[in-house]
């Protein structure tokens, strides 16, 4: 009976945590909403990415946004979806997403006011986890764009291959034609 209750509790925990994980795919340049809900009366709410170290994506503490240790690539690009955070809405909007924004975003909250920390990086488990994938928008024909240096390099390589192939074909043709004319004398 105890084993059954243990497995049931574990299954429920896994279901709850799995329902919190999301995958979002966006085109470069779009705005994306990172959705999260939490209980009301939150003292601190932090959106972070593990690869940012001690810096964060967004931090809300004591009734206002804080940008002191915000990672420079997110400054001016992240805002609360609902400034009053009604019904526990901890969602943020990430504006003008870029390929470098790819990654797993986690939302952590702290409800009580004990042991206030000066820095972010809450040591609580994330209540939401979102993997953001960012792709280039399709070109005018609907096919993915090849941008900048990659397109230039591919174009140059293809051109070089065609020129070399034409030259080699011409040399072989001339050599073959020369052998034929020598053999007919």
């Amino acid at each position: 009976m105890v084993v059954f209750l243990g497995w049931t509790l574990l299954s429920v925990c896994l279901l709850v945590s799995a329902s919190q994980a999301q995958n979002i795919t966006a085109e470069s340049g779009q705005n994306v909403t990172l959705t999260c809900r939490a209980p009301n009366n939150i003292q601190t709410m932090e959106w972070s990415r593990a690869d940012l170290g001690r810096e964060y994506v967004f931090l809300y503490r004591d009734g206002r946004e804080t940008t002191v240790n915000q990672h420079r690539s997110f400054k001016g690009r992240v805002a609360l979806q609902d400034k009053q955070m009604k019904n526990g809405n901890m969602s943020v909007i990430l504006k003008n997403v870029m390929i470098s924004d790819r990654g797993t975003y986690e939302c952590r909250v702290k409800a009580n006011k004990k042991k206030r920390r000066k820095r972010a990086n809450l040591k609580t488990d994330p209540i939401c986890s979102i993997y953001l994938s960012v792709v280039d928008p399709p070109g005018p024909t609907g096919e993915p764009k090849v941008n900048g240096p990659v397109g230039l390099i591919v174009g140059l390589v293809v051109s070089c291959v065609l020129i070399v192939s034409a030259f080699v074909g011409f040399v072989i043709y001339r050599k073959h034609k020369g052998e034929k004319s020598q053999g007919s004398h």
Side-chain angles (χ1 to χ4, degrees), residues 4 7 11 18 20 35 55 96 104 122 135 147 171 174 185:
F4 175 76
W7 278 110
S11 299
Q20 295 294 324
T35 307
E55 295 177 309
N96 192 25
T104 301
L122 296 176
V135 296
N147 288 332
V171 168
R174 294 286 291 186
H185 285 86

Side-chain angles (χ1 to χ4, degrees), residues 16-23 128-130:
V16 169
S17 66
S19 68
Q20 295 294 324
Q22 299 175 352
N23 290 320
C128 299
S129 181
I130 298 174

Side-chain angles (χ1 to χ4, degrees), residues 10-89:
L10 179 62
S11 299
V12 169
C13 289
L14 289 174
L15 278 173
V16 169
S17 66
S19 68
Q20 295 294 324
Q22 299 175 352
N23 290 320
I24 298 174
T25 300
E27 290 179 2
S28 183
Q30 289 183 328
N31 295 346
V32 173
T33 301
L34 304 175
T35 307
C36 189
R37 295 212 174 271
N40 289 328
N41 301 325
I42 297 298
Q43 177 205 359
T44 305
M45 181 263 297
E46 175 190 78
W47 277 95
S48 61
R49 246 181 32 198
D51 61 326
L52 299 180
R54 300 208 33 96
E55 295 177 309
Y56 50 82
V57 174
F58 181 85
L59 180 67
Y60 180 90
R61 183 178 15 229
D62 298 328
R64 61 186 174 89
E65 297 175 26
T66 304
T67 59
V68 175
N69 289 318
Q70 186 177 30
H71 189 273
R72 68 184 177 282
S73 70
F74 293 101
K75 288 192 186 251
R77 296 180 47 225
V78 186
L80 280 170
Q81 183 180 40
D82 177 4
K83 299 233 185 255
Q84 282 94 37
M85 297 190 293
K86 293 178 190 156
N87 300 320
N89 185 356

Side-chain angles (χ1 to χ4, degrees), residues 114-128:
K114 295 178 185 173
K115 296 182 184 175
R116 181 175 170 182
R117 299 170 52 92
K118 277 187 118 174
R119 293 183 175 250
N121 302 102
L122 296 176
K123 299 297 180 194
T124 60
D125 290 331
I127 60 169
C128 299

Side-chain angles (χ1 to χ4, degrees), residues 151-165:
L152 179 62
I153 292 168
V154 169
L156 288 173
V157 168
V158 169
S159 298
C160 288
V161 167
L162 289 174
I163 291 170
V164 168
S165 297

